[in-house]
């Protein structure tokens, strides 16, 4: 299958449109064995147990298929061992519009959030055009979505410490301010670094003040 027929099946699989998947297979796949595997593929989704089902239903497919299923099984085992609290869901017909991925693709979902907070995957050798082909994986995330997902108490915390902009300070004062900020953060404090001309933000009830060569925390 190639060309327009392959694109039609690709689109139908992306939308999980069962009737269109069946039509695309009937119109373009004459080999009954391949057709049955494609039908099975569109239904292979669920927990890690679906991978064992996939091994059975896709038995006899090209070696790359078995290798892909084995890679998913290995990923499932390692994730479950390291983070047993994470729920895993596999969709063997998941397809992305980007064609540079070379292996597993994933989405990170959070309870109560309707869309993925992160998407990523494997894209080995993509750096070859820059002179260095090597294994690679990565993801993108929506910072606004992550902020909205934070607990209200964390996102509305009003006990931060405001650190003034260091632009008007001497080199020694700037360095001592940086060290003071790092020490406070190491102690678990939330320190907001101010920009040029900025005054203390509303979520800061304290600020760093330079007194006699020492930075001290005072209430605002």
């Amino acid at each position: 299958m190639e060309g327009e027929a392959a694109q039609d099946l690709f689109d139908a699989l992306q939308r999980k449109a069962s009737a269109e998947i069946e039509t695309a297979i009937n119109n373009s796949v004459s080999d009954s064995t391949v057709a049955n595997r494609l039908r099975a593929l569109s239904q292979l989704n669920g927990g890690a147990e679906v991978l064992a089902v996939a091994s059975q239903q896709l038995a006899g497919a090209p070696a790359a298929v078995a290798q892909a299923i084995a890679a998913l099984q290995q990923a499932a085992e390692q994730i479950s061992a390291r983070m047993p609290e994470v729920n895993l869901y596999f969709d063997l017909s998941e397809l992305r519009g980007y064609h540079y991925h070379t292996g597993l693709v994933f989405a990170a979902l959070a309870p109560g959030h309707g869309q993925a907070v992160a998407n990523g995957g494997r894209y080995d050798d993509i750096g070859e055009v820059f002179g260095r082909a090597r294994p690679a994986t990565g993801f993108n995330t929506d910072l606004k979505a992550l902020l909205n997902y934070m607990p209200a108490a964390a996102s509305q915390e009003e006990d931060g410490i405001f650190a003034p902009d260091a632009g008007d300070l001497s080199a020694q004062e700037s360095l001592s301010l940086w060290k003071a900020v790092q020490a406070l953060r190491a102690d678990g404090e939330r320190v907001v670094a101010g920009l040029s001309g900025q005054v203390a933000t509303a979520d800061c009830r304290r600020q760093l003040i330079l007194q006699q060569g020492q930075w001290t925390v005072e209430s605002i």
Side-chain angles (χ1 to χ4, degrees):
M1 180 183 292
E2 57 185 23
E4 186 176 346
Q7 187 61 48
D8 288 344
L9 180 57
F10 180 91
D11 293 340
L13 285 170
Q14 282 189 308
R15 292 181 285 107
K16 304 295 186 286
S18 300
E20 294 180 34
I21 292 171
E22 185 65 23
T23 298
I25 292 173
N26 289 336
N27 290 342
S28 304
V29 182
S30 57
D31 187 315
S32 60
T33 300
V34 174
N36 288 334
R37 288 173 183 158
L38 288 172
R39 291 188 182 96
L41 186 64
S42 67
Q43 301 298 319
L44 288 171
N45 49 77
E49 67 278 358
V50 79
L51 300 178
V53 177
S55 294
Q56 296 176 351
Q57 295 190 359
L58 301 179
V65 174
Q67 292 170 0
I69 295 173
L72 290 174
Q73 290 172 324
Q74 183 181 31
E77 292 169 0
Q78 293 185 356
I79 293 172
S80 295
R82 299 180 184 186
M83 295 173 286
E85 74 282 1
V86 173
N87 294 321
L88 298 178
Y89 183 89
F90 293 88
D91 184 349
L92 272 68
S93 63
E94 174 67 20
L95 300 168
R96 299 279 174 83
Y98 307 111
H99 299 291
Y100 57 78
H101 287 111
T102 60
L104 182 150
V105 294
F106 62 86
L109 301 167
H113 200 80
Q115 296 181 331
V117 295
N119 290 283
R122 192 72 180 258
Y123 45 92
D124 292 349
D125 301 334
I126 196 170
E128 186 174 5
V129 294
F130 303 108
R132 189 178 183 186
R134 56 179 176 171
T137 188
F139 67 93
N140 65 71
T141 187
D142 185 340
L143 293 180
K144 290 184 178 179
L146 291 179
L147 288 173
N148 290 334
Y149 185 68
M150 290 174 62
S155 61
Q156 297 176 4
E157 183 180 353
E158 296 181 351
D159 195 27
I161 300 173
F162 181 79
D165 174 54
D168 295 329
L169 301 175
S170 67
Q172 184 176 357
E173 290 171 341
S174 177
L175 179 59
S176 65
L177 173 61
W178 181 83
K179 289 181 177 179
V181 169
Q182 298 308 306
L184 288 167
R185 287 174 174 169
D187 287 339
E189 295 282 5
R190 182 172 62 85
V191 183
V192 177
L195 301 176
S196 177
Q198 184 181 18
V199 297
T201 57
D203 58 346
C204 293
R205 294 180 177 177
R206 297 170 292 165
Q207 62 184 339
L208 278 166
I209 300 291
L210 183 62
Q211 293 182 336
Q212 298 180 345
Q214 298 292 324
W215 290 98
T216 60
V217 178
E218 293 189 357
S219 298
I220 297 177

